[in-house]
């Protein structure tokens, strides 16, 4: 079994370059099939999620050529076949093929998507959006058939500002007849990047990044060149690591405003952070202050950073709280942080952290992607050796994390156990 072994106590200095955003990439690759011609996407992170999506593209006879950080996708000879359960459950984002295939062929056949076990992760809002556009959804256990004689623009108001549903409805509406309005749309930066990609292919989308997105249907989409934005969650994870054990650690290739909620929280705690045009420099300081963090939809504090941030809160003096409002099961890392020596209790959707506490290396499990990142952050400051298993979760979302951390002085290595 793949594992990571970390010897804590090293001071990290130097530069970490942030890769392309996983949560933009996993929508852009499926969205590429909407084009009638070849598209080129650059700054594509090398992740197992990216590999899984390329496998699904190949299963649809879409040619995928990878050249370092770029991917050339040619859907001109693609076929609309069922996406098997084996492929569908590889990752949550497989469901973007539902919106893309419906938008292109008015028919999609696939299975319930996979993804981290941080909640039930229903897709009812996606399906309601497709039905509003005129599609019929047939669901037989895990299998979904979504088809329409015609897709017509509609006014859709989301019960919750769901990232996935916003994107999936945008994909299905791109070639619908007439205009679609999505109200209470999610505002995450990845949605803006995906809308920009679609517009580069000839779509007519406005309002992405606000709560109201307008999509005027077009007949066809064409070739384009597109760049994926830097990954704000990867950047935030390394910034938190810098606050734990960095000395002038530079996090390069970022869009600072995408990290506003994290940066203001770190300043409140007492972290030494200097923000530049497209980078930040962070150093560990002493006497961090406890605080309360409540996760929210963008531009609020991102749920994807609450798990790594919890490690920093174990080093803050006093009582901190993390209130998780997005996912019902996103505290699976807490038991392992307590095994390392932290003092955290959970009541309903609130984790209470008493700090500071000394962490001592033990064997821990990466229960999901961002919990795994939290285990790495903890291992970097724990005394002695921390061994992390189930690291496949981590490799889904952090490109070359071992190499990046090693390059700035961390003692971390892959291990077979
Ligand atoms: C995206 O998931 C991200 N994943 C998640 O990041 C992130 O945590 C989440 O957005 C929130 O920011 C990708 O982009 C691949 P949602 P998504 O739809 O789209 C409920 C990571 O670590 N909901 O905004 O699945 C849902 O249960 C991952 O990179 C419905 O009820 O999130 C949850 O409570 C983890 N019905 C809330 O909305 C639906 O049809 C947020 O879900 C859809 C969602």
């Amino acid at each position: 079994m793949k594992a990571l072994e970390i010897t804590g106590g090293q001071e990290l200095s130097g530069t970490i370059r942030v890769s392309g955003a996983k949560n933009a990439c996993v929508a852009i690759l499926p969205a590429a099939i909407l084009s009638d011609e070849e598209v080129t996407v650059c700054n594509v992170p090398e992740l197992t999620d990216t590999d899984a999506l390329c496998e699904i593209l190949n299963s649809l006879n879409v040619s995928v050529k990878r050249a370092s950080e770029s991917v050339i996708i040619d859907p001109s000879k693609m076929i609309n076949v069922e996406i098997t359960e084996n492929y569908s459950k590889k990752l949550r984002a497989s469901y973007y093929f539902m919106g893309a295939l419906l938008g292109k062929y008015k028919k999609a056949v696939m299975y319930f998507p996979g993804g981290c076990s941080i909640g039930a992760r229903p897709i009812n809002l996606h399906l309601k959006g497709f039905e509003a556009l005129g599609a019929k959804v047939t669901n037989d256990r895990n299998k979904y058939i979504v088809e329409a004689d015609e897709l017509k623009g509609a006014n859709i108001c989301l019960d919750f500002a769901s990232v996935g549903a916003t994107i999936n409805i945008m994909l299905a509406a791109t070639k619908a007849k007439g205009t679609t309005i999505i109200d209470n749309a999610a505002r995450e930066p990845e949605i803006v990047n995906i809308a920009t990609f679609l517009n580069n292919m000839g779509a007519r989308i406005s309002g992405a990044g606000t709560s109201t997105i307008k999509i005027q249907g077009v007949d066809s989409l064409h070739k384009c060149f597109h760049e994926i934005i830097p990954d704000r969650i990867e950047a935030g994870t390394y910034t938190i690591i810098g606050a734990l054990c960095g000395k002038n650690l530079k996090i390069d290739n970022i869009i600072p405003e995408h990290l506003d909620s994290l940066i203001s929280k770190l300043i409140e705690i007492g972290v030494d952070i200097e923000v530049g045009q497209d980078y930040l420099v962070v150093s560990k300081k002493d006497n961090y202050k406890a605080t309360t963090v409540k996760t929210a939809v963008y531009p609020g504090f991102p749920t994807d950073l609450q798990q790594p941030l919890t490690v920093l809160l174990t080093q803050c003096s006093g009582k901190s709280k993390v209130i998780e409002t997005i996912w019902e099961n996103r505290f699976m890392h807490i038991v392992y942080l307590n095994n390392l020596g932290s003092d955290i209790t959970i009541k309903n959707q609130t984790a209470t952290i008493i700090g500071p506490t000394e962490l001592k290396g033990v064997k821990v499990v990466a229960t999901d992607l961002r919990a795994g990142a939290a285990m790495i952050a903890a291992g970097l400051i724990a005394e002695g050796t921390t061994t992390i298993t189930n690291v496949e979760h981590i490799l889904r979302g952090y490109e070359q994390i071992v190499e990046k951390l090693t390059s700035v002085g961390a003692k971390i290595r892959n291990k077979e156990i």
Side-chain angles (χ1 to χ4, degrees), residues 22-23 92 95 122-125 162-164 304 326-327 370:
K22 168 183 85 80
N23 290 347
R92 170 84 171 165
Y95 61 20
I123 60 170
N124 59 311
L125 300 179
S162 154
V163 171
D304 295 348
I326 306 290
W327 299 107
R370 307 300 175 185

Side-chain angles (χ1 to χ4, degrees), residues 327-379:
W327 299 107
E328 65 270 28
N329 184 32
R330 202 167 201 171
F331 286 140
M332 292 185 285
H333 53 301
I334 301 288
V335 63
Y336 297 103
L337 289 180
N338 284 342
N339 291 352
L340 285 158
S342 65
D343 177 359
I344 307 175
T345 51
I346 302 170
K347 188 164 187 305
N348 302 329
Q349 287 300 101
T350 298
T352 301
I353 303 108
I354 306 296
T357 50
E358 289 279 314
L359 303 186
K360 286 191 176 34
V362 291
K363 196 171 168 190
V364 296
V365 176
T367 53
D368 53 82
L369 168 57
R370 307 300 175 185
M375 293 303 111
I376 288 177

Side-chain angles (χ1 to χ4, degrees), residues 181-380:
I181 303 282
I182 306 174
D183 272 324
N184 194 27
R187 298 166 50 193
E188 274 69 3
E190 292 76 25
I191 292 168
V192 179
N193 195 226
I194 292 147
T196 306
F197 173 56
L198 293 166
N199 285 340
N200 287 346
M201 291 195 284
R204 294 176 64 195
I205 298 170
S206 55
T210 74
S211 299
T212 302
I213 299 178
K214 181 174 162 184
I215 304 113
Q216 293 169 272
V218 296
D219 293 333
S220 64
L221 298 178
H222 52 68
K223 69 168 57 177
C224 81
F225 177 89
H226 181 70
E227 177 164 2
I228 292 177
I229 55 171
D231 191 320
R232 61 192 168 98
I233 305 302
E234 182 195 14
T237 304
Y238 288 122
T239 303
I240 292 166
I241 287 173
L244 283 163
C245 55
K247 182 167 174 39
N248 298 324
L249 181 67
K250 184 175 183 182
I251 313 299
D252 201 10
N253 184 39
I254 66 168
I255 299 174
E257 53 267 27
H258 291 173
L259 290 160
D260 276 349
S261 58
L262 172 69
I263 290 169
S264 56
K265 193 52 74 177
L266 293 179
I267 290 168
E268 185 189 316
I269 288 170
V271 175
D272 174 1
I273 194 163
E274 173 225 327
V275 183
Q277 179 78 26
D278 60 354
Y279 69 89
L280 62 83
V281 179
V282 57
S283 298
K284 173 186 180 306
K285 276 177 71 179
D286 295 328
N287 308 320
Y288 285 151
K289 278 190 321 180
T291 186
T292 291
V293 173
K294 185 171 184 178
T295 65
V297 295
Y298 192 88
F301 191 91
T303 170
D304 295 348
L305 285 177
Q306 64 93 337
Q307 294 157 292
L309 186 83
T310 302
V311 181
L312 182 61
L313 297 177
T314 68
Q315 304 307 304
C316 296
S317 303
K319 181 189 285 190
S320 295
K321 287 185 183 293
V322 173
I323 304 155
E324 172 57 60
T325 69
I326 306 290
W327 299 107
E328 65 270 28
N329 184 32
R330 202 167 201 171
F331 286 140
M332 292 185 285
H333 53 301
I334 301 288
V335 63
Y336 297 103
L337 289 180
N338 284 342
N339 291 352
L340 285 158
S342 65
D343 177 359
I344 307 175
T345 51
I346 302 170
K347 188 164 187 305
N348 302 329
Q349 287 300 101
T350 298
T352 301
I353 303 108
I354 306 296
T357 50
E358 289 279 314
L359 303 186
K360 286 191 176 34
V362 291
K363 196 171 168 190
V364 296
V365 176
T367 53
D368 53 82
L369 168 57
R370 307 300 175 185
M375 293 303 111
I376 288 177
L380 290 168

